[in-house]
Amino acid sequence: MEKILTVTVPSYNVEKFLENTLDSFVDERVLDDIEVLIVDDGSKDKTAEIGRKYEEKYPDTFRVISKENGGHGSTINRGIGEAKGKYFKVVDGDDWVDQDGFAELIQRLKTCDADYVFTNYYEVNDVTGELNPVTFPGIRKEEQMPFEMIANETRISMHALVLKTSILKENQIRLDEHSFYVDVEYILYPIPYVKNVIYFDIFVYMYRLAQVNQSVSMLGYQKHMQNHIDVIFHVLDYINAYKEKADYDKLKELYMARRIAEMVHGQVDVFISFGSGDKVIQKKFKEFDAEVKEKNAYVYEKSGEFSGMLRLLRKSGFRFYSLIVRLSKVRNG
C-alpha cells in the first residue's frame, strides 16, 4: 500500500524514551498510511532491539535501519534516501506525537498537495510535565497559499514541519553529518524549491525540553559551539549560492537570511556565556563576527538589530570587551 507519510526517527542511545515515541504511532487509524523508519545511529544501548520489536509486530509500518554513528544529520539523510511516503517528517527518538493530532494530520495529508506543511506543537518540560503550546497566529488556516504569503509572517521550526518527499529527493537535500544544530539546514535548504504552503491548526509534535544534556541547553551550546558556527557559515554559503541562480527569489533569500541572523544572535549569547575575561573566546568572537560580515552584509546588519551589546562591540572594534560584556550582563540580569 502506498504510504502518505514517512516518519524518520533519529535514534541514538534513546532506550529510555523510544518505546514512548514508537507507541505514539501505534494507532489503527494511521498504521496503514505511514512508514516509520527507526534510524539507529550506532547506538550502544538497546535502541535497535526495541525498534526491532515494533518491526516484528508491525512489519508494514516500522523498519529499523542500523548504521554507523554519523550524527543527527546523517540519520535524516538516510531517512530521505529510504523514504517511500509522499510526505516526510522527522520525530526525534526522545520525542513523540499526539495520537489524535497525528491521525488528523494523516487524514488531511491525503487530500493535500502543498510542498511545505506545518502544524502546532507542544514544548514539554521534561521535569514538570508542563506543556507550552507553539502556534502560528495570524497565518491563514487550512488554505494552500504561495510561500511568499508567509515569508514575512512567521518562522517555522522542524517540530512543526512536514515536507513533500520529492523536494528532498529531487533536489538532493543533504545535511551536515557529525554535527549538531542541523535542524536549521533541514528547514532552510528546501526553501528555494517550495512553491506553496499550508498551515493546519492542529497539535501534532510533542517536543521534550529541559534535559540537562540537550544540545540546545547552554552547556550543550558551549560543548558543541564549533558545530553551531559551522552550520551558520554553511547556510550563509548556501544563501549566497542561491542568489546566483536564475530562479532566485528575493523573499525566499530574506526568509533564510533572517533565520540565520537569529542564529548569529544565539551564537553571541554562547560567546558571552563563557565570561568576560576569556581572551580566547574574545578572539574567536571577533573573528566570527568579521566572517559573518564578509559572507552576508544583510545577516550582519540584521543580527546587530537584535543586540545592543553586539552593536557596541562592533563600534568599538571589540575593544573594552570585558567591560561591555559585564555591563550587558548586569543590564540583562
Side-chain angles (χ1 to χ4, degrees):
M1 179 181 291
E2 184 177 351
K3 302 292 187 176
I4 192 67
L5 178 68
T6 295
V7 178
T8 289
V9 182
S11 304
Y12 177 69
N13 291 348
V14 287
E15 64 177 8
K16 178 181 176 182
F17 306 104
L18 189 58
E19 287 186 353
N20 182 64
T21 304
L22 301 183
D23 279 345
S24 70
F25 300 113
V26 180
D27 184 334
E28 292 297 332
R29 293 174 291 179
V30 303
L31 280 175
D32 290 339
D33 297 312
I34 65 172
E35 64 168 354
V36 180
L37 305 179
I38 305 150
V39 186
D40 166 34
D41 194 31
S43 298
K44 295 176 174 59
D45 63 1
K46 295 182 179 179
T47 290
E49 180 181 331
I50 292 168
R52 280 192 291 270
K53 291 179 182 177
Y54 287 80
E55 182 180 52
E56 290 167 5
K57 191 170 183 179
Y58 308 98
D60 294 329
T61 301
F62 292 91
R63 181 153 63 98
V64 177
I65 301 169
S66 290
K67 54 182 282 303
E68 291 184 2
N69 182 263
H72 196 242
S74 75
T75 62
I76 297 174
N77 290 340
R78 183 65 177 269
I80 292 170
E82 300 273 352
K84 296 182 176 66
K86 178 180 177 180
Y87 284 98
F88 187 90
K89 185 169 182 62
V90 177
V91 177
D92 285 331
D94 53 355
D95 296 330
W96 70 100
V97 296
D98 176 85
Q99 285 193 321
D100 289 337
F102 187 69
E104 189 170 350
L105 170 65
I106 296 303
Q107 288 305 309
R108 296 189 190 195
L109 289 179
K110 289 180 179 179
T111 57
C112 178
D113 200 47
D115 297 327
Y116 214 72
V117 179
F118 58 106
T119 66
N120 306 325
Y121 62 95
Y122 283 110
E123 295 175 337
V124 185
N125 187 300
D126 196 47
V127 176
T128 66
E130 180 182 358
L131 300 180
N132 176 46
V134 180
T135 62
F136 298 87
I139 303 297
R140 290 192 208 170
K141 304 170 184 177
E142 327 297 329
E143 178 183 339
Q144 185 168 301
M145 52 194 151
F147 177 82
E148 288 74 13
M149 287 188 66
I150 70 157
N152 294 320
E153 302 300 325
T154 192
R155 177 167 74 83
I156 301 166
S157 72
M158 188 172 75
H159 317 300
L161 186 59
V162 179
L163 278 162
K164 192 175 279 186
T165 305
S166 59
I167 287 180
L168 299 168
K169 285 180 176 286
E170 291 170 8
N171 298 291
Q172 299 180 324
I173 302 298
R174 288 189 62 82
L175 314 184
D176 287 344
E177 303 198 355
H178 300 286
S179 178
F180 292 85
Y181 313 113
V182 297
D183 57 318
V184 74
E185 296 178 344
Y186 175 74
I187 296 161
L188 297 183
Y189 283 174
I191 292 296
Y193 313 103
V194 170
K195 294 184 175 63
N196 44 61
V197 303
I198 193 166
Y199 166 44
F200 294 138
D201 186 20
I202 52 179
F203 286 89
V204 176
Y205 199 107
M206 308 296 284
Y207 174 40
R208 192 186 303 271
L209 281 176
Q211 297 181 70
V212 174
N213 294 324
Q214 274 186 307
S215 61
V216 292
S217 68
M218 186 52 71
L219 287 175
Y221 278 119
Q222 290 178 341
K223 182 178 179 180
H224 306 294
M225 181 173 70
Q226 191 57 51
N227 286 166
H228 197 253
I229 291 170
D230 289 344
V231 167
I232 289 171
F233 289 151
H234 293 168
V235 180
L236 287 178
D237 289 341
Y238 186 83
I239 293 170
N240 291 339
Y242 173 59
K243 289 163 67 175
E244 301 301 319
K245 293 189 175 183
D247 58 353
Y248 160 73
D249 183 318
K250 182 71 172 178
L251 275 176
K252 290 181 177 180
E253 178 218 339
L254 293 180
Y255 181 87
M256 293 188 286
R258 283 193 296 271
R259 178 65 186 88
I260 295 305
E262 292 174 1
M263 201 169 176
V264 170
H265 180 229
Q267 181 57 45
V268 170
D269 291 339
V270 177
F271 281 131
I272 67 171
S273 73
F274 285 93
S276 59
D278 193 320
K279 298 296 184 183
V280 173
I281 292 296
Q282 178 182 346
K283 181 174 183 291
K284 193 172 187 68
F285 188 173
K286 185 177 181 180
E287 291 171 348
F288 166 81
D289 196 54
E291 190 163 352
V292 170
K293 183 178 184 180
E294 181 181 348
K295 285 183 179 291
N296 194 297
Y298 175 84
V299 170
Y300 179 81
E301 292 298 327
K302 195 70 179 175
S303 60
E305 292 177 13
F306 297 136
S307 172
M309 183 202 70
L310 181 58
R311 294 194 301 274
L312 189 56
L313 285 171
R314 288 170 174 174
K315 189 173 182 179
S316 69
F318 278 74
R319 295 187 295 273
F320 317 114
Y321 177 85
S322 295
L323 176 61
I324 292 171
V325 169
R326 286 200 306 272
L327 289 174
S328 176
K329 286 188 171 185
V330 169
R331 182 176 180 182
N332 294 317

